[in-house]
Amino acid sequence: MKKKLFALLMALVMVLSLAACGGDKGGDSQQSGDSQSSGDTQQPAEGGDAATTDLKLGYDLETGISVYGPYYDEWSDMTDEQLYEQAKTEDPTITVYATSSKMMKAEEPFEEMYPGLDLVVADLDSDEVLSKAKIENETNNITADVLQTKDVNGEVFHEYYDNGVIEPFYPRDICSHIAEENLKYSYPLYSSQSFWYYNTEAFPDGQPINSWWEIIEKDDAGNQKFALYTKEIGQETAYLSLFASFIINADEMAQSYKDTYGKDLEYTYDASSFAFEVPENNAGVEYLWRFTQAKMTFIGDGDELVLAVHNSTKDQPALALASAGKIENREESGYNIDWCINLSPYTALLNTESMFVVSNCNSPAGARLFIRYITGGADGESGGLKPFTKVGNWPLRDDFVDEKNPAKLSELGARANDLVSIYDIYPDVQDMWMYWLNQ
């Protein structure tokens, strides 16, 4: 990723925000027909007319309009039955590169539901999924038909999706059950997030913080109020992207500070040490600076993070940032822990696992049939979502009953990720984090 100057970023964010207000209103999201396409020609169902569709989603320099998903094409309105009939005329082997071993549980039920098709799931890590797909695209030796991966800093969207290695598939009937903000950059399988955990025995009346600023609060003697435990944020893409979002949403961070303390934020950071331009009086940058100067204990294991909170006391309180699923230690191990929710200005960014079709794959109809299956099918009852339904994972369909989580996603205060803006400043935010952390 190329570094972008912060000044250019802020201008771009304003342009994108204004453009999105007029250009992202649902329906068929398509760019001008004269725009340069980054993808290949989509193939419609058998018997249909070929239609060239522009798959390059993002900011259209020609029209000045932001064009993102949901993107609907000839495939979007095909039923399971239509896709199945066409899939039987293709290569019957549908190969999925997945970052979750749970995807392998779909092989047998999918093949039973669709006789004659052979589902092959490769359980890989995130880097392998993307690197293998890129190499196959460059050598025109395509093996994968479907990719499952997560994008938290825009890398997948800009460097794989936007460059035609993978392409969008938005089944219109299923998308009608998913909020459009969660369809902007990809078609989701489910979302997860991280929370700050607190000790419920130490704070029986409820969470001790209501804003991000209170996490790093000091008492009148200048002592840090909470012991903080987290993974090393500079090495965690999702966490660093969250801090980048605070810089993008600086006005919200400034308002959060004023709402918390009843006065305007005082800016104390020095941006002069960086080779790139850092905006002045940015509340997100100020928060990043203050957070790096707080005392923190880095622990790589999530179970140990929440254990540290469980072992803390009211006299020596602790907070730990860990994945939502670690709440299971409350029932399994008897930990006195709970999530801090609805933090100001927002609790977290949603980390969305998404499904993509591999460009020029051997089984384009079969790939889309499987994506429909794994995300619940037309009525949400296919069974595909079952292996991924657990505490800390939230399917995004409004017609899917989530019985695993103690709260609905809408009750927790997280928001969808803005991958375009995050991507532009991510390298600079990482540099600031590392530099200030070592001061």
Side-chain angles (χ1 to χ4, degrees):
M1 290 183 284
K2 296 181 178 179
K3 282 193 175 182
K4 307 289 171 59
L5 292 176
F6 264 105
L8 293 178
L9 160 73
M10 296 307 166
L12 176 61
V13 170
M14 292 180 65
V15 171
L16 287 174
S17 299
L18 291 172
C21 292
D24 188 11
K25 297 182 179 179
D28 291 10
S29 298
Q30 298 186 35
Q31 291 188 356
S32 165
D34 296 330
S35 299
Q36 179 66 36
S37 173
S38 69
D40 297 292
T41 301
Q42 280 278 19
Q43 297 300 317
E46 279 192 326
D49 295 329
T52 300
T53 56
D54 187 355
L55 302 182
K56 185 175 178 65
L57 308 184
Y59 185 63
D60 188 334
L61 295 176
E62 181 177 345
T63 65
I65 297 175
S66 295
V67 183
Y68 304 102
Y71 181 93
Y72 298 123
D73 58 14
E74 292 84 0
W75 296 104
S76 298
D77 294 310
M78 292 180 68
T79 64
D80 295 328
E81 292 74 19
Q82 291 172 323
L83 288 170
Y84 179 39
E85 290 303 313
Q86 185 166 335
K88 289 188 290 186
T89 70
E90 305 170 343
D91 184 339
T93 300
I94 303 166
T95 301
V96 181
Y97 288 173
T99 59
S100 172
S101 60
K102 292 181 176 63
M103 191 69 71
M104 301 178 73
K105 295 181 179 181
E107 291 184 352
E108 185 174 338
F110 178 79
E111 291 170 358
E112 289 179 355
M113 185 173 291
Y114 298 105
L117 301 183
D118 179 25
L119 184 67
V120 177
V121 177
D123 179 19
L124 308 168
D125 63 32
S126 298
D127 291 339
E128 286 180 303
V129 164
L130 296 171
S131 63
K132 285 174 69 67
K134 184 176 182 181
I135 292 171
E136 290 178 11
N137 179 270
E138 291 172 345
T139 60
N140 198 29
N141 183 25
I142 309 296
T143 297
D145 299 290
V146 178
L147 258 61
Q148 175 239 324
T149 191
K150 178 165 57 180
D151 191 6
V152 294
N153 68 348
E155 179 183 2
V156 175
F157 180 78
H158 285 85
E159 299 177 21
Y160 296 86
Y161 192 179
D162 209 24
N163 287 332
V165 177
I166 49 182
E167 60 188 46
F169 172 52
Y170 288 102
R172 195 190 302 263
D173 57 343
I174 301 177
C175 288
S176 70
H177 293 286
I178 302 173
E180 193 161 310
E181 65 179 6
N182 295 319
L183 296 168
K184 189 172 183 178
Y185 298 108
S186 63
Y187 176 65
L189 177 60
Y190 65 86
S191 281
S192 60
Q193 61 182 296
S194 294
F195 291 97
W196 286 99
Y197 286 78
Y198 74 97
N199 186 305
T200 54
E201 189 174 68
F203 298 97
D205 295 331
Q207 64 190 60
I209 58 169
N210 292 291
S211 81
W212 274 81
W213 294 101
E214 291 175 303
I215 295 167
I216 54 174
E217 191 173 283
K218 295 181 179 180
D219 60 24
D220 293 338
N223 298 314
Q224 196 168 300
K225 188 173 181 180
F226 298 100
L228 301 181
Y229 296 87
T230 178
K231 294 182 179 180
E232 210 287 81
I233 289 172
Q235 298 175 11
E236 296 291 324
T237 307
Y239 291 169
L240 203 61
S241 295
L242 174 61
F243 278 75
S245 78
F246 291 155
I247 295 172
I248 294 164
N249 298 307
D251 289 346
E252 292 182 62
M253 288 296 290
Q255 186 62 49
S256 172
Y257 183 91
K258 188 169 186 177
D259 291 343
T260 300
Y261 299 109
K263 60 182 180 180
D264 290 332
L265 174 65
E266 180 183 353
Y267 296 95
T268 61
Y269 65 89
D270 177 10
S272 63
S273 300
F274 300 101
F276 48 87
E277 185 174 350
V278 177
E280 296 182 1
N281 297 339
N282 181 290
V285 176
E286 178 67 26
Y287 189 84
L288 180 67
W289 156 247
R290 294 191 186 190
F291 195 94
T292 60
Q293 301 312 293
K295 295 179 180 179
M296 290 173 281
T297 301
F298 296 138
I299 301 176
D301 182 82
D303 293 317
E304 293 183 13
L305 284 168
V306 294
L307 175 60
V309 170
H310 171 71
N311 289 333
S312 66
T313 64
K314 186 174 183 178
D315 292 333
Q316 295 182 312
L319 299 172
L321 183 60
S323 63
K326 297 306 175 184
I327 196 69
E328 289 186 306
N329 281 288
R330 184 168 59 185
E331 300 298 328
E332 295 175 357
S333 305
Y335 289 2
N336 300 314
I337 57 173
D338 203 356
W339 299 329
C340 295
I341 65 173
N342 290 314
L343 297 182
S344 172
Y346 45 91
T347 306
L349 295 180
L350 295 181
N351 300 321
T352 301
E353 294 285 350
S354 299
M355 305 302 299
F356 297 95
V357 176
V358 176
S359 300
N360 299 315
C361 65
N362 297 319
S363 306
R368 290 167 171 83
L369 177 64
F370 174 72
I371 289 175
R372 287 181 60 87
Y373 166 82
I374 203 66
T375 55
D379 58 3
E381 300 293 333
S382 72
L385 278 170
K386 185 176 180 180
F388 304 99
T389 306
K390 53 170 284 188
V391 175
N393 291 350
W394 282 269
L396 297 175
R397 296 180 59 145
D398 63 14
D399 60 343
F400 183 85
V401 179
D402 179 9
E403 298 178 343
K404 298 289 186 179
N405 284 293
K408 295 179 180 179
L409 190 61
S410 59
E411 300 172 343
L412 303 173
R415 65 171 56 173
N417 200 332
D418 182 357
L419 293 179
V420 166
S421 299
I422 295 292
Y423 181 82
D424 283 336
I425 70 169
Y426 182 88
D428 292 346
V429 175
Q430 189 171 40
D431 284 351
M432 284 192 291
W433 170 269
M434 296 305 297
Y435 180 78
W436 277 338
L437 185 68
N438 292 324
Q439 285 192 341

